Amino acid sequence: MGEQDKKDKPSPPGNEVGKAIGRRDILQGLSTVPVLGLFGYAVKKQVDYENARLEAKTGKTAPASQVSDIHVALLGGGDQGEVLLNSMMKIPGLRFRAICDIWTEYNQKKLVNRLKKFNFEVNGYEDYQEMLDKEKDLDAVVIATPDFWHARHAIDCLRAGKHVYCEKEMSNTLEGARNMVMAARETGKLLQIGHQRRSNPRYLHCYERLLQEARLLGRIVTAQGQWNRSVKPDNGWPQRYLIPEERLKKYGFKSMQQFRNWRWYKGLVGGPIVDLGSHQIDIFNWFLGGSPSHVMASGGTDYYEPATHEWYDTVLAIYEYQTGAGKARAYYKTQTTNGSQGYFETFMGDQGTLVVSESEATYSGSIYREISAPAWDEWVQKGYIAAPKMQAARSEEAAAVLDVRESVSPDEHRIPIELTDPYHKPHLENFFNAIRGTAKLNCPAEVGYETAVTVLKVNDAIEANQRLAFTPEEFKI
Ligand SMILES: NC(=O)c1ccc[n+]([C@@H]2O[C@H](COP(=O)([O-])OP(=O)(O)OC[C@H]3O[C@@H](n4cnc5c(N)ncnc54)[C@H](O)[C@@H]3O)[C@@H](O)[C@H]2O)c1
């Protein structure tokens, strides 16, 4: 499995009943729970949830008539596909109709069987075109295939009239990503890119409340992000589930080894800087309010066997941003040989420091006030940040003699927002709510494209061994 997502454990779904109600049933009269049964009850819960969210956010209420069942297919049922499915099964009102995966004898079978256990009338496909031809009443396709397939899969699904949730990286090529944006515009269908932090309530709170409203960091001058991951052996496969060579070739894989370890191969993906870094570099762009002007980077396959690990296992990159408030620099590191200190992002301004992560396990979120900054009592009272945890004066404890010129260590305030759902659920909910017309996409194709432009250039900078400039036009389509 690629990332922290393995934490999303399978659990009983929120919409156990996959049939027995007409697909265009628009629910009115929600007091009819006994008539509608469990599915109706699940949709009522969805309506209540939508209303609560909308009231909290905009003061408006979604009319109940806008909430209908959505027919969904999963294209790519590997590790991430399963993680997404587990999250979707907790979202009421979804009716799973198809799993498409070329590993028919293993991943496809596993997920089809799982859904059948929950009474969904679900079909398995090897070929996505056949799925699109036969499953005429699909509303949405969720794509979690390897990156080099994303553009083709997403564009063909959009053109077949489906809304698409496509995993990051949007594409391994800018041409592919650009064509995806164009296809979404041409068809008028929704295309959400899987940078799930964009819908994470902690990240939204940090951006909307702490940075935009309260401006607790003052002028942001630097940002930093890292993803440290331990050494990992190559992915294997059970011998009895070997994919025939002819099928592997048909879908662009040279061997079973490459099929199971595609993340390391040039032409299929952009390597760990894209696989891991794109999530967090996306946050640089979001929180710094724009795209960078320059990038320089150093990287290489320093540890693994280059024959099977074509992409750089270690990358350090530095971006320059020209923000509305002035220059900012952002540094990113991905390392795949030591998992110490995990993954998080830091933003430092002249009034404070924000440390935030998607991980609930490590640095979920803290903010530190510079000693010279105005008091934050108002924000503590409003519940935006927790009361400060005073830093112990190390000199007193350890009787160490500190240099008098050292800055006083700032107090830590926890950010009081925890995600109790699986990490991907809010972003998927945002997608399905957008289909229902009750929300706007948090990561539409244009945003995914800007992130792809920002991240893919790191590999160019390493290859060129140069500091490269971005032009503002590069980010626009
Ligand atoms: N948002 C996140 O946090 C996150 C985390 C992990 C992975 N991902 C993304 O999800 C995607 C999948 O990653 P993964 O870890 O699940 O990989 P994986 O190798 O475990 O799964 C890929 C699946 O796609 C299937 N597949 C390959 N080519 C196909 C084709 N042409 N048609 C149909 N099925 C095909 C494979 O058989 C396999 O089951 C990648 O784009 C990855 O970047 C995102």
Side-chain angles (χ1 to χ4, degrees):
M1 175 167 298
E3 295 161 26
Q4 195 67 15
D5 323 56
K6 270 189 170 156
K7 292 188 168 180
D8 299 0
K9 298 247 167 56
S11 60
N15 50 356
E16 287 85 348
V17 181
K19 49 189 171 185
I21 205 164
R23 79 161 305 235
R24 290 294 169 206
D25 287 331
I26 304 295
L27 291 168
Q28 291 160 343
L30 290 169
S31 56
T32 54
V33 168
V35 180
L36 292 171
L38 198 53
F39 177 65
Y41 174 68
V43 176
K44 178 179 175 344
K45 273 177 66 179
Q46 174 77 22
V47 173
D48 292 346
Y49 177 68
E50 284 302 328
N51 289 346
R53 259 174 75 107
L54 276 172
E55 266 160 9
K57 224 176 160 180
T58 64
K60 287 193 203 129
T61 301
S65 63
Q66 283 184 7
V67 180
S68 60
D69 53 324
I70 295 176
H71 286 209
V72 184
L74 177 67
L75 171 44
D79 289 338
Q80 181 64 5
E82 188 171 1
V83 165
L84 295 176
L85 189 66
N86 290 337
S87 285
M88 286 191 282
M89 287 172 84
K90 292 173 187 285
I91 300 175
L94 304 185
R95 323 258 274 148
F96 302 103
R97 302 306 309 266
I99 302 285
C100 175
D101 196 294
I102 61 169
W103 203 0
T104 51
E105 39 290 89
Y106 194 70
N107 283 345
Q108 186 196 110
K109 203 166 167 187
K110 179 170 67 169
L111 297 189
V112 167
N113 287 344
R114 162 102 58 85
L115 287 172
K116 281 190 172 160
K117 270 198 199 139
F118 288 104
N119 291 334
F120 288 101
E121 282 176 355
V122 63
N123 297 312
Y125 295 91
E126 176 197 312
D127 178 357
Y128 76 103
Q129 291 286 11
E130 188 191 345
M131 175 181 82
L132 292 174
D133 286 346
K134 292 197 174 149
E135 301 287 339
K136 291 286 180 214
D137 63 353
L138 280 180
D139 298 302
V141 181
V142 174
I143 300 176
T145 47
D147 299 12
F148 73 107
W149 271 104
H150 288 177
R152 222 168 114 184
H153 283 158
I155 291 166
D156 288 348
C157 290
L158 289 164
R159 292 204 172 129
K162 316 302 170 200
H163 299 293
V164 171
Y165 180 109
C166 181
E167 263 306 346
K168 51 52 67 179
E169 189 59 38
M170 187 171 183
S171 172
N172 60 322
T173 69
L174 283 184
E175 191 193 358
R178 202 177 301 118
N179 291 338
M180 289 165 77
V181 176
M182 297 301 287
R185 285 188 191 160
E186 278 159 27
T187 58
K189 292 290 162 187
L190 298 175
L191 174 55
Q192 169 101 310
I193 306 301
H195 292 293
Q196 70 273 1
R197 285 163 182 75
R198 293 256 176 183
S199 299
N200 181 306
R202 182 164 49 248
Y203 280 82
L204 287 164
H205 178 80
C206 287
Y207 181 72
E208 288 169 3
R209 300 273 167 267
L210 308 188
L211 300 191
Q212 292 292 297
E213 183 187 338
R215 305 214 162 260
L216 293 188
L217 300 190
R219 192 192 139 194
I220 299 177
V221 181
T222 61
Q224 185 207 326
Q226 70 171 50
W227 198 311
N228 288 352
R229 176 181 271 182
S230 302
V231 171
K232 204 172 156 274
D234 284 357
N235 291 327
W237 58 93
Q239 276 310 309
R240 65 183 184 286
Y241 298 128
L242 209 69
I243 300 181
E245 214 177 291
E246 200 181 318
R247 197 193 311 157
L248 284 174
K249 290 223 165 83
K250 181 175 167 195
Y251 293 103
F253 300 98
K254 287 193 182 124
S255 63
M256 205 58 197
Q257 156 72 23
Q258 199 198 50
F259 167 73
R260 292 289 293 134
N261 297 283
W262 56 267
R263 278 188 163 74
W264 289 105
Y265 288 89
K266 291 192 174 172
L268 309 189
V269 62
I273 181 66
V274 177
D275 190 29
L276 306 174
S278 71
H279 283 300
Q280 299 165 289
I281 291 165
D282 177 57
I283 304 301
F284 289 169
N285 284 0
W286 183 18
F287 283 14
L288 293 175
S291 36
S293 61
H294 293 84
V295 64
M296 58 181 125
S298 165
T301 305
D302 301 338
Y303 182 85
Y304 290 97
E305 172 52 52
T308 50
H309 294 71
E310 294 176 359
W311 272 120
Y312 314 130
D313 56 32
T314 309
V315 174
L316 311 179
I318 299 173
Y319 288 100
E320 292 166 40
Y321 286 79
Q322 194 58 53
T323 74
K327 192 113 181 166
R329 293 173 208 272
Y331 156 73
Y332 187 80
K333 175 176 76 153
T334 178
Q335 125 152 28
T336 48
T337 45
N338 184 321
S340 175
Q341 296 164 62
Y343 61 103
F344 60 91
E345 302 93 58
T346 303
F347 293 84
M348 300 184 86
D350 57 357
Q351 297 190 5
T353 300
L354 171 70
V355 183
V356 62
S357 174
E358 180 184 57
S359 170
E360 293 295 333
T362 48
Y363 315 88
S364 53
S366 289
I367 189 161
Y368 302 79
R369 188 175 68 83
E370 282 291 285
I371 204 78
S372 56
W376 286 355
D377 301 2
E378 177 191 353
W379 311 110
V380 173
Q381 274 157 23
K382 282 189 167 164
Y384 284 20
I385 53 177
K389 195 165 83 183
M390 301 296 172
Q391 303 291 310
R394 196 171 167 270
S395 56
E396 284 166 27
E397 267 181 16
V401 181
L402 299 186
D403 189 305
V404 289
R405 290 161 295 187
E406 275 186 42
S407 299
V408 177
S409 191
D411 291 333
E412 178 187 6
H413 299 251
R414 300 285 304 158
I415 294 163
I417 310 285
E418 276 176 23
L419 179 63
T420 49
D421 279 329
Y423 294 167
H424 296 83
K425 188 170 165 236
H427 204 46
L428 287 158
E429 275 173 329
N430 171 251
F431 172 62
F432 294 115
N433 291 343
I435 294 175
R436 291 188 169 107
T438 60
K440 277 189 167 179
L441 290 182
N442 286 337
C443 190
E446 285 80 0
V447 172
Y449 182 73
E450 281 170 28
T451 303
V453 173
T454 310
V455 176
L456 289 172
K457 213 177 201 100
V458 172
N459 286 333
D460 297 343
I462 294 170
E463 204 163 314
N465 199 14
Q466 271 182 19
R467 172 176 172 265
L468 300 181
F470 294 94
T471 61
E473 293 70 44
E474 274 180 85
F475 296 95
K476 296 199 178 80
I477 297 181

